[in-house]
């Protein structure tokens, strides 16, 4: 089988991979599609070389079909269409025992800390598979992992119908949060500075705002009878995002922190005191978030495919990653791992 190995220095090597027979509790899946995440782009740029074991197959936003099951597997069978929740938790630490295995203190993220999905076959634990109904295409199913991130963000933020949500950042995750929030009955505005991303959001029917061209606080206040937003989703991981997020909220409003900040930030803590704000961290997803993402996808009401900006064959994975370079308009790029 073919497998794409990240080789360091912005380079993939396509070579023969090793098919692994599923052991107890394991399943071999024929990978159909795997999306390229922002994290994968960070790996490509070499900033995560300490976490990956070069050369390594990466990739974690996978859809596929079960082709072989090991002993003791009863949640899926051969032929099932599945998506992978790419987490490996210890099951024994206090965090796992408290029921929060998705943030296990020794969590391993598959496709970063261990072998991933940019290959034809991937052997994984059965406990992380979620079945997809037949009406979901394998291509669309590759968006379920990032949609599960969005579902987790909404759930952490306790977003309700009728609430006003500001989404700072209109990349793939920001747009998926926007889609799920709109479907949940919330009023949504997306703040973004990239004109291409703004246009895409507008084409999807969202209200948008470019904070480089106007005062976003004034805009949000005018839209909420001078009260402020109920929830802000911070997805930019930028200093301006951290600086503005407390300004946009009503008293007792909530911030959901989605962006992955690598540096400490300046945040207006007086606003937390004065308005009794809440800030809620949101990292990856729990099983129910995947279930919700599968359900939303099966219902077909979200314009998920609109964020797919390119599909490349596994043999073209180098071009797929390079499509994000420079002044790129790439949003969600999928790699088709299934070879005909
Ligand atoms: Zn991802
Ligand atoms: Zn644990």
């Amino acid at each position: 089988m073919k497998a794409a190995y990240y080789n360091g220095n912005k380079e993939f090597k396509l070579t023969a991979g090793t098919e692994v027979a599923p052991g107890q509790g394991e399943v071999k899946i024929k990978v159909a599609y795997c999306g390229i995440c922002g994290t994968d782009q960070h790996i490509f740029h070499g900033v995560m070389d300490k976490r990956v074991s070069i050369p390594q197959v990466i990739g974690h936003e996978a859809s596929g079909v079960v082709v072989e099951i090991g002993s003791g597997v009863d949640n899926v069978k051969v032929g099932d269409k599945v998506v992978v929740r790419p987490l490996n938790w210890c099951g024994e630490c206090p965090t796992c025992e408290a029921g929060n295995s998705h943030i296990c203190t020794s969590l391993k993220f598959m496709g970063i800390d261990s072998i991933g999905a940019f290959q034809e076959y991937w052997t994984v634990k059965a406990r992380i598979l979620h079945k997809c109904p037949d009406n979901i295409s394998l291509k669309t199913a590759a968006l379920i992992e990032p949609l599960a991130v969005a579902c987790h963000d909404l759930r952490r933020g306790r977003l309700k119908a009728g609430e006003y949500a500001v989404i700072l950042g209109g990349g793939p995750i920001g747009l998926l949060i926007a889609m799920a929030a709109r479907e949940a009955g919330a009023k949504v505005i997306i703040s973004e500075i990239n004109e291409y991303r703004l246009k895409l959001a507008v084409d999807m029917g969202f209200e948008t705002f470019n904070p480089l061209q106007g005062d976003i606080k004034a805009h949000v206040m005018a839209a909420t009878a001078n009260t402020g937003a109920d929830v802000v989703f911070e997805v930019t991981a930028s200093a301006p995002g951290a600086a503005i997020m407390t300004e946009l909220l009503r008293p007792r409003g909530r911030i959901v922190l989605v962006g992955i900040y690598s540096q400490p930030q300046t945040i207006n803590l007086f606003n937390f005191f004065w308005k009794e704000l809440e800030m809620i961290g949101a990292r990856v997803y729990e099983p129910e978030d995947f279930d919700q993402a599968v359900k939303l996808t099966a219902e077909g009401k979200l314009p998920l495919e609109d964020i797919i900006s390119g599909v490349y064959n596994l043999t073209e994975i180098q071009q797929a990653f390079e499509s994000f370079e420079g002044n790129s308009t790439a949003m969600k790029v999928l790699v088709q791992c299934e070879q005909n």
Side-chain angles (χ1 to χ4, degrees), residues 36-45 47-48 51 58 60-61 109 111-112 260 321:
I36 298 177
C37 181
T39 312
D40 298 317
Q41 294 168 52
H42 286 307
I43 293 173
F44 184 66
H45 288 131
V47 293
M48 294 174 75
R51 250 177 100 179
I58 63 168
H60 60 265
E61 302 185 354
F109 196 90
I112 301 174
I260 305 172
F321 273 80

Side-chain angles (χ1 to χ4, degrees), residues 145-306:
E145 190 268 2
L147 180 59
V149 169
C151 291
H152 188 63
D153 300 337
L154 254 63
R155 200 161 59 83
R156 291 286 289 152
R158 312 189 300 276
L159 185 70
K160 293 187 285 288
E163 286 194 315
Y164 188 92
V166 180
I167 298 161
L168 301 176
I173 293 292
L175 289 180
L176 289 167
I177 293 170
M179 286 183 217
R182 180 167 67 182
E183 181 59 26
K187 295 187 273 290
V188 174
I189 180 168
I190 298 168
S191 170
E192 170 61 53
I193 58 173
N194 176 304
E195 287 299 335
Y196 169 80
R197 291 183 165 189
L198 284 166
K199 183 181 179 309
L200 181 63
V202 168
D203 289 347
M204 292 168 71
F206 289 112
E207 192 196 337
T208 60
F209 194 88
N210 184 341
L212 297 182
Q213 291 174 3
D215 182 343
I216 181 143
K217 181 180 179 182
H219 183 86
V220 169
M221 287 301 160
T224 56
N226 239 2
T227 310
D230 299 287
V231 184
V232 169
F233 294 90
E234 204 311 295
V235 199
T236 67
S238 70
I244 197 70
M245 62 189 185
T246 64
E247 304 285 338
L248 306 177
L249 287 164
R250 65 163 165 84
R252 290 218 164 165
R254 288 101 69 197
I255 295 164
V256 181
L257 198 71
V258 181
I260 305 172
Y261 283 87
S262 55
Q263 295 297 322
Q265 298 296 318
T266 300
I267 295 172
N268 187 333
L269 293 178
F270 177 78
N271 284 339
F272 273 87
F273 162 76
W274 195 251
K275 296 196 280 187
E276 290 198 341
L277 302 180
E278 265 181 83
M279 180 154 73
I280 304 153
R283 181 175 162 205
V284 293
Y285 23 61
E286 294 171 80
E288 55 262 57
D289 303 311
F290 256 76
D291 292 340
Q292 173 70 359
V294 170
K295 178 173 172 280
L296 285 171
T297 306
E299 286 169 359
K301 287 184 244 168
L302 307 185
L304 292 170
E305 290 84 2
D306 290 3

Side-chain angles (χ1 to χ4, degrees), residues 15 67 101 105 130 148 183 188 212 223 227 234 295 319 339:
T15 57
V67 289
S101 63
T105 43
H130 293 259
E183 181 59 26
V188 174
L212 297 182
T227 310
E234 204 311 295
K295 178 173 172 280
Q319 292 97 301
Q339 302 296 299

